[in-house]
Amino acid sequence: RIMRPDDANVAGNVHGGTILKMIEEAGAIISTRHCNSQAGEPCVAALARVERTDFLSPVCIGEVANVSAEITYTSRHSVEVQVNVMSENILTGAKKVTNKATLWYVPLSLKNVNKVLEVPPIQYARKEQEDEGRKRYEEQKLDRLETKQRNGDVILPVINPEPHTVGYSQSSLIHLVGPSDCTLLGFVHGGVTMKLMDEVAGIVAARHCKTNIVTASVDAINFHEKIKKGCVITISGRMTFTSNKSMEIEVFVDADPFVDEPRERYRAVSAFFTYVSLSKEGKPLPVPQLLTETEDEKRRFEEGKGRYLQTKAKRQAQMQQAAQ
Amino acid sequence: RIMRPDDANVAGNVHGGTILKMIEEAGAIISTRHCNSQAGEPCVAALARVERTDFLSPVCIGEVANVSAEITYTSRHSVEVQVNVMSENILTGAKKVTNKATLWYVPLSLKNVNKVLEVPPIQYARKEQEDEGRKRYEEQKLDRLETKQRNGDVILPVINPEPHTVGYSQSSLIHLVGPSDCTLLGFVHGGVTMKLMDEVAGIVAARHCKTNIVTASVDAINFHEKIKKGCVITISGRMTFTSNKSMEIEVFVDADPFVDEPRERYRAVSAFFTYVSLSKEGKPLPVPQLLTETEDEKRRFEEGKGRYLQTKAKRQAQMQQAAQ
Amino acid sequence: RIMRPDDANVAGNVHGGTILKMIEEAGAIISTRHCNSQAGEPCVAALARVERTDFLSPVCIGEVANVSAEITYTSRHSVEVQVNVMSENILTGAKKVTNKATLWYVPLSLKNVNKVLEVPPIQYARKEQEDEGRKRYEEQKLDRLETKQRNGDVILPVINPEPHTVGYSQSSLIHLVGPSDCTLLGFVHGGVTMKLMDEVAGIVAARHCKTNIVTASVDAINFHEKIKKGCVITISGRMTFTSNKSMEIEVFVDADPFVDEPRERYRAVSAFFTYVSLSKEGKPLPVPQLLTETEDEKRRFEEGKGRYLQTKAKRQAQMQQAAQ
């Protein structure tokens, strides 16, 4: 669809969150369709995980985003979908790859939302495709289990923070979950959650560097807990790490089923977003360094540095491979 | 209401689809109100058909669109509504007629969505009004029947198309039908469908001529099949004909009730949109000629030419009449 | 227009904020049109103040809201607009007055946004109308001046609050101001701000009583400071007072022009909203009493009680007058 003024920031760059939402909608459609392709209990595919994705080039207002999706692996209870986004300037005809994302869905029964159904298997052109898919499946399963543990963390408010400290840019947003945010099952679309997360992360980044910023990448996101219509969700973000030209922001989503259900507030999702600051000409700008104060902040900074260096090393390895 | 940036293209002209959506909302309100004006089964008016409408002058961001609607004819089971749209520049006070549309609605029972109810008759000031209305009613009925036949056509993807061929500009968009798209009966508002159709047609036109384009007219649209909440709809468009200064685009809407219903994808609506290309000063520009390759494309081009010449002849006849 | 699922809470009642936004759009159109009705510098009417308004009956999904606006007084530099909202059930034909609001607008030059232009005078049917208008004008002017003083207050975060304390339900929301939120001058529509304020106030109320809640009234709101496109606004709300069956919530709007402008965060608007809690049958429910802890909270509770008793006395006086 055509990118509109409301999809973009003041510099005309489309928010990463808008792209993530489109990707997730395409993934949800193709996997729901696949899971209902054999006679059986009707179901809706729910987002379980999004793999790390890089935003390769910014999209502008007036451009058309083309989203294509393909099922690349099925396990007994989950579907892997590969989604590609191309941006097209329909006036010049220029096309660019915006990003490629991999998403995992799980089919939930329409009659009993807590029942996970079986996924019809797909046919692979070659045996290796199936083996590689199984490997990706095992890897993401491990990673999901791991993130399930570390969830207790909370963003505490800070009074009168100094510029460039963590407390200075941290931000949070509340949102009442309405009907348009939800699937047929009455749970929030994963894409809606990701769009709100990107919104908060973007505000944290902009508060820190006070320039025009864009989403550069999103780390893998695991959706452990569903969020129901009528909940209030609190999305909070804090900066964890800065390199010379990038900022890492951790984002938490907490759900509060405050009407009609005697349940405590719970952590539904968390993720790391990376942002860069752009000049008016679209060149990356240096970023003010994050001032860490507490022990926790220093630890998180080091962890962020680890993730940053690891990603950098991976990318260099890929580039060398590609060059050979 | 005031036209916002998101209602418009990059040149600030409001999309024809936004206007069509407002027109349909006004029509749905007045006809639902009328059909419930006598004690009886409560019902909701569903859009059955929109007559051909010309966009007489473009509307800009910041202008106010005034929509007025009037019931002009009632048959036993249908209501004809005339809707006029005036755009008003509230800074200068200038008012212009944007377009006049004629819509046909059918009252469906709230209790049983497949039951068409009877329409309370209206009073006519003069006998001729009733006769003319009946004539319009008979004409549209014939036309509806006719379009019901030709529905098999599908837009196939083309790999590496040449510029200005049909395959080069053809486009499609998918949309998951959410609660805000729907009436009380849980079916998509006709206006929502028309807005999406205009969006796709606009992308086809812009891809073809790579300039700023606006909707000039929409041929009669028949709504044969309802679309339910939760469906995925695919809206596809292809260029069928070009004159020196206009482009005709055919748009299909296919619905895919992929959850909960063992029904095949079906054609819900189809229509022809005409676009013109405008210079920065708002003057019509010459349009690159469409290159037809297959026999079907040549046939459709000739059919489009037929529609074009017929419309031109009709308009000249009207102008002569008006001049007398 | 027809009320959609997205305009309403889970119980199907349309948010007061949606109604306030429609009211303000109508007021902005009629007053901008009036201020440009004489040749002169083109201008846009900016909202300066909304008088206290009561929501007399809830509006439901599927109903049509009819908004009508009339200019009732003009001073040299301001316009008073009276807006009435009727809800209409188009199935039954039943109409109810939803609310009546009085708004004050000031014309700002399109060329120089800091320049307030002169308002063309209106004609009064009777001399008394002009005198009564002048009296209302003087009263609101005084009130505006008064509220300009008390602006320093800030909602401080509370860690691990007890249920029913002020800190327990206080909430805040951030919003990045996009193009569709703004007038032609590039400033946020007053109606957009009021809708966000109602959203936060509603979440505070729901967190406090954990039932379905609706807006009962909004105290006068003064718009002292414009908010520019691209700002981040923080809307925060805290409960100040509870009677047996109502809750008063104070809401602050702070703007943060963090990109491109060397200006500090500032208080743009503040207001008091009153909410009631409704049972499933639409009857008012008792509300848990607010637990005040600090001296400031106790003081604000007493002030809220003062406003509550004053409003109650006024309403009784009006009812006695009406009964005579």
Side-chain angles (χ1 to χ4, degrees):
Chain A
R1 68 175 183 82
I2 301 186
M3 294 296 118
R4 293 183 292 244
D6 272 14
D7 297 324
N9 62 18
V10 272
N13 293 315
V14 171
H15 297 297
T18 299
I19 309 280
L20 289 170
K21 196 175 168 217
M22 292 175 64
I23 287 174
E24 201 274 322
E25 185 168 341
I29 290 173
I30 196 173
S31 49
T32 300
R33 187 188 283 152
H34 176 75
C35 294
N36 286 286
S37 62
Q38 288 185 353
E41 230 173 303
C43 62
V44 170
L47 182 65
R49 176 180 164 93
V50 182
E51 299 291 349
R52 178 192 162 81
T53 177
D54 292 297
F55 289 83
L56 306 171
S57 63
V59 183
C60 298
I61 299 175
E63 292 188 345
V64 172
N66 292 297
V67 179
S68 58
E70 186 192 2
I71 294 181
T72 42
Y73 182 75
T74 51
S75 76
R76 201 171 158 204
H77 290 301
S78 66
V79 181
E80 185 199 50
V81 183
Q82 177 84 38
V83 183
N84 295 326
V85 184
M86 300 270 292
S87 69
E88 177 190 357
N89 182 325
I90 46 177
L91 300 186
T92 65
K95 284 183 191 185
K96 285 176 302 183
V97 174
T98 303
N99 62 351
K100 299 179 179 191
T102 305
L103 302 95
W104 294 88
Y105 287 87
V106 168
L108 302 179
S109 164
L110 253 188
K111 287 168 201 156
N112 172 2
V113 98
N114 295 312
K115 188 173 162 196
V116 178
L117 300 182
E118 294 207 5
V119 173
I122 58 163
Q123 303 301 324
Y124 302 91
R126 288 172 299 111
K127 178 75 174 63
E128 299 88 73
Q129 289 179 342
E130 184 168 4
D131 295 342
E132 284 161 19
R134 187 176 304 114
K135 212 176 126 200
R136 291 193 302 273
Y137 169 72
E138 298 296 345
E139 277 173 8
Q140 63 88 22
K141 205 169 160 184
L142 265 180
D143 189 83
R144 275 174 67 74
L145 274 174
E146 205 175 297
T147 59
K148 218 167 178 174
Q149 317 305 325
R150 36 159 180 159
N151 263 338
D153 215 350
V154 160
I155 296 183
L156 291 178
V158 174
I159 294 157
N160 294 325
E162 291 294 307
H164 305 139
T165 58
V166 175
Y168 181 71
S169 58
Q170 71 181 30
S171 302
S172 75
L173 184 157
I174 48 175
H175 176 75
L176 180 60
V177 175
S180 282
D181 300 328
C182 293
T183 65
L184 283 181
L185 291 168
F187 294 107
V188 177
H189 280 291
V192 169
T193 311
M194 291 193 285
K195 187 162 187 271
L196 290 165
M197 292 170 88
D198 179 70
E199 207 171 313
V200 167
I203 289 174
V204 172
R207 277 187 169 154
H208 181 77
C209 63
K210 298 189 185 306
T211 53
N212 178 39
I213 47 88
V214 294
T215 316
S217 68
V218 187
D219 249 37
I221 311 180
N222 293 306
F223 292 82
H224 292 300
E225 293 263 13
K226 297 187 288 283
I227 305 170
K228 214 175 159 178
K229 185 160 75 186
C231 279
V232 167
I233 52 180
T234 304
I235 305 106
S236 5
R238 68 176 165 211
M239 198 162 287
T240 43
F241 167 73
T242 47
S243 73
N244 284 342
K245 296 201 173 165
S246 73
M247 299 161 273
E248 188 196 59
I249 294 117
E250 183 170 23
V251 182
F252 298 121
V253 179
D254 295 296
D256 207 346
F258 64 104
V259 176
D260 256 4
E261 268 183 81
R263 198 183 161 186
E264 284 293 290
R265 174 193 273 229
Y266 60 93
R267 173 72 32 93
V269 195
S270 70
F272 292 102
F273 284 73
T274 301
Y275 275 76
V276 292
S277 163
L278 292 185
S279 70
K280 276 175 189 164
E281 294 73 38
K283 296 263 170 261
L285 292 174
V287 160
Q289 285 311 286
L290 182 66
L291 301 179
T292 52
E293 296 172 312
T294 69
E295 281 312 303
D296 278 343
E297 288 174 9
K298 288 182 208 302
R299 180 182 48 76
R300 284 196 298 264
F301 192 92
E302 287 308 314
E303 291 170 359
K305 198 177 194 168
R307 282 184 294 269
Y308 170 75
L309 293 172
Q310 210 181 341
T311 307
K312 206 173 165 181
K314 242 186 226 169
R315 202 179 301 150
Q316 282 174 339
Q318 282 172 348
M319 280 167 71
Q320 278 177 352
Q321 240 181 347
Q324 275 164 12
Chain B
R1 69 176 184 79
I2 302 183
M3 294 297 118
R4 292 183 293 246
D6 269 15
D7 297 322
N9 62 20
V10 273
N13 293 315
V14 171
H15 296 297
T18 300
I19 309 281
L20 288 170
K21 197 175 168 214
M22 293 174 64
I23 287 174
E24 201 275 322
E25 185 166 344
I29 290 174
I30 196 173
S31 49
T32 300
R33 185 190 284 151
H34 177 75
C35 294
N36 286 287
S37 62
Q38 287 186 355
E41 229 172 306
C43 63
V44 170
L47 182 64
R49 177 180 164 93
V50 182
E51 299 291 349
R52 179 192 162 78
T53 176
D54 292 297
F55 290 83
L56 305 170
S57 62
V59 183
C60 297
I61 298 174
E63 292 187 345
V64 173
N66 293 298
V67 180
S68 58
E70 187 193 1
I71 294 181
T72 42
Y73 181 74
T74 51
S75 75
R76 200 168 159 209
H77 290 301
S78 67
V79 180
E80 186 198 50
V81 183
Q82 177 84 39
V83 182
N84 295 326
V85 184
M86 300 270 295
S87 70
E88 176 189 358
N89 182 324
I90 49 177
L91 302 186
T92 64
K95 285 182 192 186
K96 284 175 302 181
V97 174
T98 302
N99 61 351
K100 299 181 179 190
T102 305
L103 303 93
W104 293 88
Y105 287 87
V106 168
L108 302 179
S109 163
L110 251 188
K111 287 169 202 156
N112 173 2
V113 98
N114 295 313
K115 187 174 163 195
V116 178
L117 300 182
E118 293 206 5
V119 174
I122 58 164
Q123 303 300 324
Y124 302 91
R126 288 172 298 113
K127 178 75 174 66
E128 299 88 72
Q129 289 180 342
E130 186 169 3
D131 295 342
E132 284 161 19
R134 188 175 303 115
K135 211 176 127 201
R136 291 193 302 274
Y137 169 72
E138 297 296 344
E139 276 172 9
Q140 63 90 20
K141 206 170 163 183
L142 265 181
D143 190 82
R144 274 173 68 73
L145 275 175
E146 205 176 296
T147 59
K148 219 168 178 174
Q149 317 306 325
R150 37 160 180 160
N151 262 339
D153 216 350
V154 159
I155 296 182
L156 292 177
V158 174
I159 320 267
N160 293 324
E162 292 293 308
H164 305 138
T165 58
V166 175
Y168 181 71
S169 57
Q170 70 181 32
S171 302
S172 74
L173 187 157
I174 50 173
H175 177 74
L176 181 59
V177 175
S180 281
D181 299 329
C182 292
T183 65
L184 283 180
L185 291 169
F187 294 108
V188 178
H189 279 291
V192 170
T193 311
M194 290 193 286
K195 186 161 187 272
L196 289 166
M197 292 169 87
D198 179 69
E199 204 170 318
V200 167
I203 291 175
V204 173
R207 276 185 170 155
H208 181 78
C209 64
K210 302 194 181 306
T211 53
N212 178 39
I213 47 87
V214 293
T215 316
S217 68
V218 186
D219 247 38
I221 310 181
N222 293 306
F223 293 81
H224 292 300
E225 294 263 13
K226 298 187 287 283
I227 305 171
K228 213 176 160 180
K229 184 160 76 184
C231 279
V232 167
I233 50 179
T234 305
I235 304 106
S236 5
R238 69 174 163 212
M239 197 161 289
T240 42
F241 167 73
T242 48
S243 72
N244 285 341
K245 295 200 175 164
S246 73
M247 298 161 274
E248 187 196 58
I249 295 117
E250 183 170 21
V251 182
F252 298 122
V253 179
D254 295 296
D256 203 349
F258 65 110
V259 177
D260 221 15
E261 271 183 79
R263 196 180 164 190
E264 286 290 292
R265 173 195 272 229
Y266 59 93
R267 174 73 33 92
V269 195
S270 70
F272 292 101
F273 284 73
T274 301
Y275 274 76
V276 291
S277 162
L278 292 184
S279 71
K280 275 175 189 161
E281 295 73 36
K283 297 264 170 262
L285 292 175
V287 160
Q289 285 311 289
L290 181 67
L291 301 179
T292 52
E293 296 172 313
T294 67
E295 282 311 303
D296 279 343
E297 287 174 11
K298 287 183 209 302
R299 180 182 47 77
R300 285 197 296 265
F301 192 92
E302 288 308 313
E303 289 170 2
K305 197 176 194 170
R307 283 185 293 270
Y308 171 75
L309 293 173
Q310 211 181 339
T311 308
K312 208 173 164 182
K314 243 187 224 167
R315 201 179 303 147
Q316 282 174 341
Q318 282 170 349
M319 280 167 71
Q320 278 178 353
Q321 242 182 343
Q324 276 164 9
Chain C
R1 68 175 185 81
I2 302 183
M3 294 296 118
R4 293 183 293 246
D6 273 11
D7 297 321
N9 63 19
V10 273
N13 293 316
V14 172
H15 297 297
T18 300
I19 309 280
L20 288 171
K21 196 175 168 215
M22 293 173 64
I23 287 174
E24 202 274 322
E25 185 167 343
I29 291 174
I30 196 173
S31 49
T32 300
R33 185 190 284 151
H34 176 76
C35 295
N36 286 287
S37 62
Q38 286 185 357
E41 229 171 304
C43 62
V44 170
L47 182 65
R49 176 179 165 91
V50 181
E51 299 291 350
R52 180 193 161 78
T53 175
D54 292 297
F55 289 83
L56 306 171
S57 64
V59 184
C60 298
I61 299 175
E63 292 188 344
V64 172
N66 293 298
V67 180
S68 58
E70 186 193 1
I71 294 181
T72 41
Y73 181 74
T74 51
S75 75
R76 198 168 161 208
H77 290 300
S78 66
V79 181
E80 186 198 50
V81 183
Q82 178 83 39
V83 183
N84 295 327
V85 184
M86 300 270 293
S87 69
E88 176 190 358
N89 182 325
I90 48 174
L91 302 185
T92 64
K95 287 184 191 184
K96 286 176 301 182
V97 174
T98 303
N99 63 351
K100 299 179 180 193
T102 305
L103 302 94
W104 294 89
Y105 287 87
V106 168
L108 302 179
S109 164
L110 252 187
K111 288 170 201 155
N112 173 1
V113 98
N114 294 313
K115 188 172 161 195
V116 178
L117 300 182
E118 294 208 4
V119 174
I122 58 164
Q123 304 299 324
Y124 301 91
R126 288 173 297 113
K127 179 74 174 65
E128 300 88 73
Q129 289 180 341
E130 185 169 5
D131 295 343
E132 284 161 20
R134 188 176 302 114
K135 211 176 128 201
R136 291 193 302 273
Y137 168 73
E138 297 296 346
E139 277 172 9
Q140 64 88 22
K141 204 170 164 183
L142 264 180
D143 190 82
R144 275 173 67 74
L145 274 174
E146 204 174 297
T147 59
K148 217 169 180 172
Q149 317 305 324
R150 37 158 180 158
N151 262 339
D153 215 351
V154 160
I155 296 183
L156 291 178
V158 174
I159 295 160
N160 293 324
E162 291 293 308
H164 305 139
T165 58
V166 175
Y168 181 71
S169 58
Q170 72 181 29
S171 302
S172 74
L173 185 157
I174 48 176
H175 177 74
L176 179 61
V177 175
S180 283
D181 300 328
C182 293
T183 65
L184 283 180
L185 291 169
F187 294 107
V188 178
H189 279 292
V192 169
T193 310
M194 291 193 286
K195 186 160 187 273
L196 289 165
M197 293 169 88
D198 179 69
E199 207 171 314
V200 167
I203 289 174
V204 172
R207 277 187 168 153
H208 181 79
C209 63
K210 299 191 185 306
T211 53
N212 178 40
I213 46 89
V214 293
T215 316
S217 68
V218 187
D219 249 38
I221 310 180
N222 293 306
F223 293 81
H224 292 299
E225 293 263 12
K226 296 185 287 285
I227 305 171
K228 213 176 161 178
K229 185 161 76 187
C231 279
V232 167
I233 51 180
T234 304
I235 304 104
S236 5
R238 68 176 164 212
M239 197 163 286
T240 43
F241 167 75
T242 47
S243 73
N244 284 342
K245 297 200 174 166
S246 73
M247 300 161 273
E248 187 196 59
I249 295 117
E250 182 170 25
V251 182
F252 299 122
V253 180
D254 295 296
D256 206 347
F258 65 104
V259 176
D260 252 6
E261 269 183 82
R263 196 180 162 191
E264 285 292 292
R265 174 194 271 230
Y266 59 94
R267 173 72 33 92
V269 195
S270 70
F272 292 102
F273 284 72
T274 300
Y275 275 77
V276 291
S277 162
L278 293 185
S279 71
K280 274 174 191 164
E281 293 73 38
K283 296 262 169 262
L285 292 173
V287 160
Q289 285 311 288
L290 181 67
L291 301 178
T292 52
E293 296 172 312
T294 68
E295 282 311 305
D296 278 344
E297 288 174 9
K298 289 182 207 302
R299 178 181 49 73
R300 284 196 297 265
F301 191 93
E302 288 307 314
E303 289 170 1
K305 198 177 194 168
R307 283 185 292 270
Y308 171 76
L309 293 173
Q310 211 181 339
T311 307
K312 208 173 164 180
K314 241 187 225 169
R315 201 178 303 148
Q316 283 175 340
Q318 282 171 351
M319 279 166 72
Q320 279 178 350
Q321 240 181 346
Q324 276 165 8

